[in-house]
Amino acid sequence: MVRRIGLTGGIGSGKSTVAGLLVAQGAVLVDTDAIARAIALPGGIAMPALEAAFGPRVIAPDGGLDRAAMRQIVFADAGAKVRLESILHPLIGAETQRQAAAAGEDAVVVFDVPLLVESGRWRAIVDRVLVVDATEETQLKRVVARSGWAPEAVKAVIAQQATRRARRAAADAVIFNESLTLEELAQQVRGLWERWVRPGTR
Ligand code: ATP
């Protein structure tokens, strides 16, 4: 029986929507993006190590990470990016495991991991990889409508992420979230839940 599902997809593919539908089926969501943000908020567990590594220039007045300052440093210095990731990744990993363990042994845990395919180490953690796929045109439309980003900014993010082909190659199942109503999407998620989480109970 599937207990740990890795959920991924490109920006605007509909990952968060699918995550919400899986939670409606009874899954516990572990959102790695939210964890990455939380550990660098004021009082977050990454803050002491970030200050030690990069100094007060990356600390915002509220005591959290000054993301704009950090972005500039990383943009100018590839070594800084490696140092930053070597601080954040183990902390994100530990907090992810902690939340999954807190869900209990019988829980179905969904790990929402935008860069699951890119980071490669998730395969060993999850039983199945679920990819939400959409055409780049649709990704672009959704993100512009949702966040008001400039199309170029969305395109730049898409270009940095894994290709649709690479993601699909890593998938145990793909939900093609294109021209689907939200109810049709919900139906697909329910079907997947029946296959993966409740096989033999139909
Ligand atoms: P990001 O990577 O930017 O967090 P995401 O992959 O989590 O994006 P969502 O936030 O789930 O994507 O979806 C992006 C937007 O598209 C949202 O506003 C969502 O409501 C909408 N959306 C997703 N799927 C559908 C659908 N099948 N029909 C209509 N709107 C949709």
Side-chain angles (χ1 to χ4, degrees):
M1 199 184 303
V2 174
R3 283 282 169 258
R4 295 184 164 218
I5 299 172
L7 171 65
T8 194
I11 182 170
S13 57
K15 275 183 313 298
S16 309
T17 307
V18 168
L21 292 166
L22 287 164
V23 168
Q25 292 300 305
V28 173
L29 180 64
V30 176
D31 181 338
T32 59
D33 245 6
I35 291 172
R37 278 193 301 276
I39 65 174
L41 288 176
I45 53 172
M47 291 316 300
L50 292 173
E51 183 162 13
F54 300 103
R57 64 191 168 149
V58 300
I59 310 300
D62 67 2
L65 179 65
D66 182 336
R67 287 170 197 277
M70 194 69 240
R71 247 194 319 273
Q72 275 185 0
I73 293 170
V74 162
F75 187 70
D77 174 1
K81 184 164 187 232
V82 173
R83 289 205 301 286
L84 175 65
E85 287 175 350
S86 74
I87 292 169
L88 295 182
H89 287 177
L91 294 174
I92 295 168
E95 178 58 17
T96 300
Q97 294 293 1
R98 193 195 65 73
Q99 290 190 11
E105 267 185 21
D106 291 335
V108 177
V109 179
V110 172
F111 299 92
D112 182 339
V113 190
L115 301 182
L116 183 146
V117 172
E118 292 84 338
S119 70
R121 66 198 166 83
W122 281 92
R123 198 63 259 192
I125 296 170
V126 298
D127 303 319
R128 294 281 190 283
V129 172
L130 172 59
V131 165
V132 185
D133 186 34
T135 62
E136 292 186 0
E137 196 187 344
T138 295
Q139 289 179 269
L140 192 70
K141 270 195 213 143
R142 284 189 188 139
V143 179
V144 169
R146 186 194 55 191
S147 358
W149 285 21
E152 294 68 37
V154 185
K155 282 185 192 159
V157 172
I158 291 174
Q160 278 165 15
Q161 296 185 334
T163 60
R164 290 177 62 205
R165 180 197 285 254
R167 244 187 244 108
R168 294 177 76 108
D172 295 299
V174 177
I175 292 181
F176 188 45
N177 183 23
E178 183 84 18
S179 320
L180 289 183
T181 64
L182 289 174
E183 181 44 37
E184 285 165 344
L185 182 61
Q187 255 170 31
Q188 293 215 10
V189 170
R190 284 196 294 271
L192 188 94
W193 187 268
E194 294 300 326
R195 283 205 308 282
W196 280 3
V197 179
R198 284 204 284 259
T201 59
R202 265 185 291 180

